[in-house]
Amino acid sequence: MRLVLVVLAMLLVPGGSPAPGKAFTIADVGTATGLVPGGTVTRKVRVTNPNNQDIKVTRLDTSVGRPSPNCPANAVTVDPLKSPVLVARNSHADVPLAVRMAASAPNACKNLTFPLTYSGTAIKP
């Protein structure tokens, strides 16, 4: 199974309002293979901080799209971020996420590419 997509996410300042121009990116690193009904694989995503200040990513969420008419999007789930991740200024961090395929998923879901959309939130540390 290959997983795809890149997303921009907002940096939130302590008051909760968006800080203009302080976005970060989230992108897949490599591919995840071997996911079968009832299985779990580890997927890495790269969080890139293009800003001149450190950020602490407090939330990473993944939305899973439908890969084919014979396989529902809800056959796969991606666990949210387990703990905050510090990303140094003008740097990146690779973050592992658990990807799970439901035991009830049809065999038609094996070896498909599930489109993934990432979003996240970061604060100034």
Side-chain angles (χ1 to χ4, degrees):
M1 175 180 85
R2 291 181 320 164
L3 306 173
V4 191
L5 205 48
V6 175
V7 127
L8 287 176
M10 294 288 265
L11 171 66
L12 297 180
V13 293
S17 51
K22 302 297 183 187
F24 61 98
T25 60
I26 308 165
D28 290 317
V29 177
T31 60
T33 58
L35 190 58
V36 296
T40 300
V41 297
T42 298
R43 170 99 199 114
K44 285 191 179 180
V45 295
R46 178 164 289 165
V47 177
T48 301
N49 176 12
N51 302 294
N52 288 324
Q53 65 186 36
D54 296 350
I55 61 172
K56 185 193 305 185
V57 178
T58 57
R59 183 176 176 156
L60 279 181
D61 294 309
T62 309
S63 174
V64 180
R66 189 172 188 164
S68 82
N70 299 323
C71 181
N74 65 358
V76 166
T77 57
V78 181
D79 291 355
L81 186 65
K82 289 186 179 193
S83 60
V85 175
L86 184 65
V87 185
R89 65 180 181 220
N90 300 308
S91 188
H92 69 268
D94 291 346
V95 180
L97 299 174
V99 180
R100 302 174 192 286
M101 185 176 286
S104 60
N107 281 333
C109 293
K110 283 190 211 176
N111 300 316
L112 292 181
T113 298
F114 285 80
L116 302 179
T117 304
Y118 301 104
S119 61
T121 305
I123 59 173
K124 290 182 186 179

